[in-house]
Amino acid sequence: MRQVPGIIPDVVERQLCAGCGACAYLSPGRLRMVDTAQYGRRPVSLRDGPETADTREALAACPGAGLDQGFDRGAQGLLKDLAEAWGPVFEVWEGFAADPEIRRAGSSGGAATALALYCIERGGMFGTLHAAARGDVPYLNETVLSRTRLELLARTGSRYAPASPCDGLQLVEDAPAPCVFIGKPCDVAAVEGARRVRPRLDEKLGLTIGFFCAGTPSLKGTLDLLAKVGVEDPSSVVSLRYRGNGWPGRWTVRFRRKDGTEDERSQTYEESWGFLQSYRQWRCYVCADHTGEFADIAVGDPWYRKVEPGEAGRSLIVARTERGVRIMHAAAAAGYLVLEKSDPGMLARSQPGLEEGRSVIWGRILALRLVGAGAPKYRGFNLFRLWWRRLSAWKKIHSVLGTVKRAWVRRLRVRAEVVPWEPGGSGRTTPGARK
């Protein structure tokens, strides 16, 4: 049994898949994405056969198998003090969308949507590829290409549920002009890998935006939360928002009662995330990039201070490439984005949990290798240095022993079976999927 995955089914069965969908884009005749209740979005095999060029490309782009952080550490303007723990950073701003509707609807300050809208309306770009609530099943996600303000506005807000936006990259490749891509850090890393093997895709990527991510809860997490608030029948859900319409916004489900009337249930962000985080997929526990290090621009919440009740949303905006710096300032100059405060120290103060989460990764990977479970391969992340310098002796020990325990509890040494889940029906195993 391999510790380093050699093919995409290895990645999936060893519970290293991030569910990004890049493999389905790169190998459409061999793989397709499905929903699973326990693990999230996963690729399944459409047919068996020998390894081909497209399957090799899929594995090369797969962020679950590993990541290679190869940015130029000597680049002019790079904030070198942040590079070890946070990857490439050129500028850090606190800001928000100038459009008040976008600012309110967004999960924080609407910065990602404002940037995407600028690129479409003023930057000559064709559209924005991202995830949105599925039209017919609102508690699931689908990949969409938004081309107007109304489409972007209707699809704002974080989706704390499995999504595979990279499965739609063919739409970008076929577009008549460059596009924006918005996704989780693992999604953006997959895009970076895919563009290296698909020159036409590289030509059509005008801007990549990553948002900070502490992990993706499974579909089961959403279903259990619905049941907890009294929505026993998922098919009755009319709409579901995880955040937005205020900062940080509320988890809000609207559903149809048996008598045909509609009702609503709601929880605070803290309550809903506190429940959902225990359902995160295993790959998120060994993720080295929670802040979009492979993106041109990364956005998150400026949690360095308490959010006052009724306060308008604000975004932490991190320019990670020269292109990101240029487009961010152009959007501000054109009146789409307000850049209010520049302070590189806001990054660490806003996300201390993510910094510590990166520091424990080396110990967790060591533990996985010791017990014979699958482990991603990272290059250029300085993980041992972070583990050694930034963790106490107890946390170093716990990062290893705690992972050994999790490996047994989560059965990480046993091949996971992918059982597709369909709304209104029981899961079934897709023919051709490996056991």
Side-chain angles (χ1 to χ4, degrees):
M1 186 177 289
R2 308 183 195 191
Q3 285 186 304
V4 178
I7 54 176
I8 291 296
D10 273 347
V11 178
V12 177
E13 294 167 11
R14 305 307 298 277
Q15 297 192 45
L16 295 178
C17 179
C20 67
C23 59
Y25 152 69
L26 290 166
S27 189
R30 185 70 65 87
L31 300 166
R32 72 180 179 92
M33 299 301 293
V34 299
D35 287 294
T36 72
Q38 183 177 357
Y39 301 113
R41 296 280 290 172
R42 292 293 181 265
V44 294
S45 298
L46 297 173
R47 58 181 175 83
D48 293 324
E51 186 181 68
T52 57
D54 62 340
T55 58
R56 289 192 293 271
E57 289 177 349
L59 185 63
C62 176
L67 294 173
D68 187 354
Q69 183 57 283
F71 66 93
D72 180 6
R73 296 175 185 271
Q76 185 176 0
L78 187 75
L79 300 178
K80 296 178 176 58
D81 290 344
L82 297 178
E84 181 177 85
W86 302 98
V89 177
F90 285 83
E91 294 183 11
V92 180
W93 287 84
E94 183 177 350
F96 49 87
D99 185 321
E101 282 191 279
I102 291 176
R103 183 180 185 184
R104 173 168 173 75
S107 294
S108 48
T113 304
L115 286 161
L117 184 60
Y118 163 77
C119 289
I120 294 171
E121 292 187 343
R122 302 287 292 275
M125 298 192 196
F126 182 72
T128 298
L129 191 74
H130 61 119
R134 201 169 119 178
D136 59 334
V137 188
Y139 57 88
L140 297 179
N141 290 327
E142 63 180 343
T143 303
V144 297
L145 184 68
S146 295
R147 298 196 55 213
T148 67
R149 176 185 178 277
L150 288 178
E151 288 178 339
L152 285 169
L153 187 60
R155 294 161 171 171
T156 56
S158 297
R159 303 290 300 171
Y160 291 117
S164 53
C166 295
D167 62 6
L169 284 172
Q170 192 64 47
L171 295 172
V172 175
E173 187 175 329
D174 294 339
C179 294
V180 179
F181 178 87
I182 302 177
K184 303 182 300 298
C186 53
D187 301 328
V188 179
V191 168
E192 185 65 21
R195 72 195 304 173
R196 292 174 185 171
V197 297
R198 291 290 177 91
R200 183 168 174 80
L201 174 68
D202 184 50
E203 293 172 2
K204 293 299 178 65
L205 286 166
L207 180 72
T208 57
I209 301 174
F211 49 83
F212 293 5
C213 176
T216 300
S218 66
L219 170 60
K220 188 177 187 301
T222 293
L223 296 176
D224 285 356
L225 184 51
L226 287 172
K228 181 183 178 183
V229 300
V231 184
E232 298 292 343
D233 180 9
S235 67
S236 69
V237 174
V238 176
S239 65
L240 176 61
R241 286 187 67 97
Y242 292 80
R243 286 187 61 183
N245 290 330
W247 187 36
R250 297 179 66 87
W251 181 90
T252 305
V253 58
R254 191 156 192 82
F255 62 101
R256 189 172 291 105
R257 291 182 174 276
K258 292 182 179 179
D259 62 5
T261 61
E262 290 189 3
D263 198 357
E264 187 174 282
R265 296 285 187 275
S266 182
Q267 287 195 341
T268 66
Y269 165 68
E270 291 79 7
E271 290 171 334
S272 60
W273 176 243
F275 181 89
L276 289 170
Q277 65 177 317
S278 63
Y279 291 84
R280 286 173 292 177
Q281 60 186 0
W282 170 248
R283 179 63 179 78
C284 299
Y285 288 88
V286 287
C287 178
D289 173 20
H290 290 280
T291 59
E293 296 181 28
F294 292 85
D296 292 310
I297 297 175
V299 296
D301 288 282
W303 295 136
Y304 68 90
R305 59 181 177 80
K306 182 180 178 181
V307 177
E308 299 298 331
E311 183 176 353
R314 294 173 180 273
S315 298
L316 191 66
I317 309 166
V318 182
R320 293 193 173 278
T321 66
E322 293 179 355
R323 171 162 47 183
V325 172
R326 183 175 67 255
I327 291 179
M328 178 182 67
H329 285 285
Y336 285 77
L337 185 67
V338 175
L339 298 178
E340 192 172 70
K341 177 183 178 182
S342 177
D343 176 9
M346 285 189 295
L347 182 53
R349 297 198 305 274
S350 295
Q351 303 291 340
L354 296 187
E355 182 175 10
E356 181 167 317
R358 178 168 172 150
S359 300
V360 302
I361 297 302
W362 188 86
R364 289 179 177 176
I365 291 176
L366 173 63
L368 292 173
R369 290 174 177 164
L370 289 174
V371 302
K377 188 171 185 179
Y378 293 121
R379 301 182 184 89
F381 283 88
N382 298 314
L383 295 180
F384 175 75
R385 188 181 305 169
L386 286 169
W387 181 82
W388 183 255
R389 290 182 177 181
R390 304 202 178 202
L391 295 182
S392 66
W394 163 243
K395 287 184 177 179
K396 289 187 181 74
I397 294 170
H398 187 264
S399 69
V400 177
L401 297 184
T403 304
V404 170
K405 179 180 178 180
R406 281 174 168 162
W408 290 104
V409 171
R410 289 179 173 256
R411 296 171 58 82
L412 297 179
R413 298 179 71 252
V414 179
R415 295 269 174 173
E417 181 182 10
V418 175
V419 180
W421 186 94
E422 296 178 349
S426 59
R428 60 179 177 81
T429 302
T430 299
R434 296 179 62 198
K435 303 297 189 290

